[in-house]
């Protein structure tokens, strides 16, 4: 596993170092226990639990069989879930951060020139 940040205080993007395959994005603070997984890159996505929201389903590689839900509903459920994790202490049970609150690997932070190059390339 490797870790990339677009900016010093930017989101974390975890990826497979061997092939640069993105795995998930998350806030760089373990107290916000939320990760957005790129399910197309997961061999057994059912191990992640039920999908709670689909973002940009029109860009899916295969047809999406169920509605995406609303952004407002997604935000409300996410805020509620993060609050529950905070109050219960479950936010500490993460494979991404150590007991000291730091990521398990040092993030590579893109330079301004690297960011500009990344944003200028077609997706």
């Amino acid at each position: 596993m490797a870790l990339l940040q677009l900016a010093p205080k930017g989101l974390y993007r975890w990826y497979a170092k061997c092939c640069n395959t993105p795995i998930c994005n998350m806030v760089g603070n373990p107290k916000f226990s939320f990760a957005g997984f790129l399910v197309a890159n997961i061999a057994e996505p059912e191990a992640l639990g039920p999908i709670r929201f689909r973002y940009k389903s029109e860009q899916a590689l295969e047809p999406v069989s169920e509605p995406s839900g609303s952004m407002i509903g997604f935000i409300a459920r996410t805020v509620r879930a993060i609050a529950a994790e905070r109050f219960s202490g479950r936010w500490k049970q993460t494979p991404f951060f150590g007991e000291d609150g730091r990521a398990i690997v040092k993030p590579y932070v893109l330079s301004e020139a690297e960011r500009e190059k990344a944003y200028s390339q077609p997706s």
Side-chain angles (χ1 to χ4, degrees), residues 13-92:
R13 169 164 279 189
W14 293 89
Y15 65 97
K17 191 174 185 178
C18 59
C19 58
N20 290 330
T21 300
I23 298 169
C24 70
N25 297 318
M26 65 188 329
V27 177
N29 182 336
K31 294 179 181 179
F32 293 96
S33 54
F34 174 83
F37 283 85
L38 304 167
V39 179
N41 296 337
I42 306 293
E44 296 180 20
E46 59 278 353
L48 298 173
I51 294 173
R52 298 181 185 213
F53 184 75
R54 296 179 191 274
Y55 180 66
K56 293 192 176 188
S57 58
E58 69 276 2
Q59 295 179 1
L61 299 176
E62 296 182 18
V64 176
S65 60
E66 55 190 78
S68 299
S70 74
M71 182 62 82
I72 292 171
F74 167 71
I75 292 170
R77 285 191 308 274
T78 301
V79 168
R80 186 173 54 237
I82 290 172
E85 296 293 319
R86 286 285 303 231
F87 290 123
S88 71
R90 288 190 308 249
W91 64 271
K92 296 176 185 175

Side-chain angles (χ1 to χ4, degrees), residues 93-107:
Q93 301 169 1
T94 173
F96 300 106
F97 296 94
E99 290 181 15
D100 61 358
R102 294 182 186 196
I104 58 169
V105 296
K106 184 177 179 182

